[in-house]
Structure formats: C-alpha cells, structure tokens
Amino acid sequence: MNTQDFIKGFRELRLKAPKIAVSGYKNTNCAYSSATYNSKNCYVCFDVDAGENCFYSGMITRSRFCSDCEDTWDSELCYEGLELYHCYNCDYSIFLRDCSDCFYSYDLLNCHNCFGCVGLRRANYHIFNKPYSKEAYAEKIVQLKNSPRHEIEKEVEKLRLTYPHLASRQLNTENCFGDNIQNSKNCFYGFNVKETFDGAYLFDVYNVYHERSEDVYDNYFSVDLHHCYECIQVGECYNSNFLHYCEHIKDSEFCDASFNSNHLFGCCTVNRQEYLILNEPYQKEAWHKKTGEIREGP
C-alpha cells in the first residue's frame, strides 16, 4: 500500500462509515445538546463539561442553573453572560471573574453587588461605577430593575467608552500571545486557552482529566492533549495527529470518531482497538513497517 492507495482507501472508509449525529457521553436528560459530557438536565447546549440545569448555552464547564451563557466556568445562576469565571447570580454581563450579584457589567474582578459597572476591582455596592451604601444601593436597584433594558445598556456603553480595554486578557501566563489565556506558558496565537504549555494556533483548548496540555499545535475545541498536531474535538490524546472527534487515543494518525484505542492509522468509528490500518488489524511489527512506508510516499 502506497500513499495514494492509503488516501483513496481512507476517503472511501470515511464515506461508508456511520456518522455520529450527537456527540457526548454520561449525560442525563440533555435534549438537543451536542459535545456535552457528564452533564444533567441541559437543553440546547453545546460544548458542556459537568453542567447541570443549563439552557441555550455553549462552552459551559462545571456550572449550574445558567442560561443563554457562553464560556462560563464554575458559575451558578447566571443569565446572558459571556466569559464568566467563578460567578454567582450575575446577569447581562461580560468578562467577570469571582463576582456575585452583578448586573449589566463589563470587566469586573472580585466585585459584589454592582450594577452597570465597568473596569472595577474588588468593589462592592456600586452603580454605574459610583459607590453607594448598602441601604441606598438596595433602594436604587429596585428602581433600576424596572427601567427599560435599552436605557440601561445605553448608559453602560457610555461608561464603557470612557475606560481603557485590555488588549489581551491573560491570567497567570508567561510568554503568551492571544486572548483569554489562563495558567499557560509559551503559547502563541491562542484563544480561549487554559492550562497549556508550549503550543501555538489554538482555540478552545483546556483540560478536564489532567493538570495541563503540552506540546500542542493547530488544535481546535479539544481537551487534555500531549504532543498532538491538527486535531478537532479531541479529548485526552497523546502523540497523535490529524484527528477528528476522538477520545482517549494514543500514538495514532488520520482518525475519525475513534475511541479508547492506540496505534491507529486511517481509522473510523473504532473502539478499544490497537494496531489497525484502515480499520484492518496488523501485527505490531507489520503495523510499524506499513505505516512507515505510507508516510514515505510513492
């Protein structure tokens, strides 16, 4: 089998292999959701890990009772939020971390009981960035919550234009370039990247099973990778390249919808297998010899 025969055979195998309509596992009552794992009572949600009672949301991790949220981590009772981390009861807000009871706010850190605020750090009982007493805040909030939403958003936008915006949101990083990068080192052109060392051209790469990913390049929407290149929707993979929707894979290349296996080459929809080429079994020595010949080309 030469390279051209392999490419032709892999194309034919992908066309005839059954396609998985909805991806995910270990879910309970998660209707109309995909790429959802270890979750319960999630409705129309995508890219969810350990979510519970969430609705119409994406990129949700270890969060409960959240709706219409995106990129939300370890949060609870949040509505219409984007990039919320360790937040409780925060609505209509963007870029909040370690906050509670904040509404219509933007770029807050460790703030509590804030309404329509921008760029505050460790603040309590603020409305449109102005401090209030606890009693005055409670009285004013009752009035504001009855105001039309578009008027509140207009005031917040005016305030937002007067504050500098972070060019790159990073936390505990070293030598990283991109946006929304956390606890990472030596990452170039990374976006929504967490606990990753030595990688480049990454989007939505983080960890569920282990402490960090390492030596990863050109990966999208994947978790727990080590020494991996060009992977899409892949979880817990080691020394593997050119994979699409694979979980718990080692020492493999050119695979689609394959799981709990190692030493696969050009395989589709296989589970708990090893030393396969185009879904056909080989002896260990023959597998290494044949894959070497295919890689060398015509």
Side-chain angles (χ1 to χ4, degrees):
M1 182 191 305
N2 59 29
T3 303
Q4 295 302 319
D5 292 335
F6 168 77
I7 293 172
K8 181 180 177 182
F10 185 51
R11 183 181 294 114
E12 292 173 352
L13 180 63
R14 288 198 69 197
L15 289 174
K16 71 179 183 180
K19 301 298 185 289
I20 298 174
V22 177
S23 62
Y25 55 78
K26 295 183 180 179
N27 299 313
T28 302
N29 191 31
C30 292
Y32 305 106
S33 298
S34 189
T36 298
Y37 306 87
N38 307 300
S39 298
K40 181 180 179 181
N41 300 330
C42 292
Y43 182 79
V44 191
C45 291
F46 304 91
D47 189 7
V48 178
D49 282 295
E52 184 177 346
N53 296 302
C54 295
F55 308 92
Y56 307 108
S57 298
M59 294 175 63
I60 304 294
T61 304
R62 297 183 300 273
S63 296
R64 303 170 66 240
F65 299 99
C66 293
S67 182
D68 292 311
C69 290
E70 181 80 10
D71 198 7
T72 299
W73 291 67
D74 302 289
S75 297
E76 187 173 350
L77 288 174
C78 295
Y79 177 66
E80 283 210 25
L82 172 64
E83 290 194 27
L84 308 179
Y85 300 88
H86 304 98
C87 291
Y88 177 83
N89 192 34
C90 295
D91 300 343
Y92 309 110
S93 296
I94 301 175
F95 306 147
L96 267 58
R97 181 181 294 276
D98 301 317
C99 295
S100 65
D101 302 300
C102 294
F103 310 97
Y104 295 99
S105 295
Y106 179 91
D107 186 24
L108 304 186
L109 174 63
N110 195 15
C111 293
H112 311 281
N113 297 287
C114 292
F115 188 100
C117 293
V118 175
L120 296 183
R121 303 292 185 263
R122 294 170 292 281
N124 294 314
Y125 301 111
H126 280 60
I127 298 176
F128 299 125
N129 283 32
K130 294 180 180 179
Y132 284 74
S133 67
K134 181 178 179 179
E135 295 75 17
Y137 177 87
E139 183 179 344
K140 185 70 173 176
I141 284 296
V142 172
Q143 300 173 10
L144 285 170
K145 285 191 174 180
N146 292 324
S147 300
R149 179 176 171 180
H150 71 274
E151 291 184 4
I152 297 172
E153 291 176 340
K154 184 178 179 181
E155 289 299 314
V156 175
E157 183 62 18
K158 279 199 240 177
L159 185 62
R160 205 165 69 90
L161 292 174
T162 65
Y163 276 75
H165 293 190
L166 293 173
S168 175
R169 295 183 302 282
Q170 299 189 27
L171 178 69
N172 299 329
T173 64
E174 180 180 343
N175 190 33
C176 292
F177 175 81
D179 193 23
N180 194 15
I181 306 175
Q182 302 177 31
N183 307 318
S184 300
K185 180 179 179 182
N186 299 331
C187 289
F188 177 76
Y189 230 76
F191 301 88
N192 295 347
V193 173
K194 300 166 183 68
E195 291 83 35
T196 300
F197 282 28
D198 303 316
Y201 306 107
L202 309 172
F203 180 80
D204 199 12
V205 174
Y206 57 99
N207 297 275
V208 175
Y209 307 105
H210 304 291
E211 290 185 358
R212 72 187 191 199
S213 295
E214 195 167 20
D215 190 21
V216 291
Y217 295 84
D218 289 333
N219 289 287
Y220 168 75
F221 182 29
S222 298
V223 301
D224 296 276
L225 307 178
H226 285 77
H227 313 293
C228 293
Y229 174 66
E230 290 228 359
C231 296
I232 298 176
Q233 197 177 349
V234 167
E236 196 176 26
C237 287
Y238 176 83
N239 191 35
S240 298
N241 307 317
F242 314 112
L243 307 184
H244 172 254
Y245 185 40
C246 295
E247 294 268 354
H248 310 290
I249 298 291
K250 293 182 179 179
D251 304 309
S252 301
E253 291 185 275
F254 304 103
C255 295
D256 187 15
S258 297
F259 311 95
N260 308 299
S261 303
N262 62 76
H263 295 94
L264 305 180
F265 198 90
C267 295
C268 297
T269 59
V270 300
N271 187 29
R272 303 188 186 283
Q273 301 290 329
E274 63 178 0
Y275 296 108
L276 302 183
I277 300 177
L278 298 179
N279 285 23
E280 296 295 327
Y282 282 73
Q283 293 295 323
K284 179 178 179 180
E285 295 75 12
W287 186 90
H288 284 288
K289 181 180 178 181
K290 183 61 68 175
T291 56
E293 292 174 354
I294 295 172
R295 289 190 186 96
E296 287 178 2

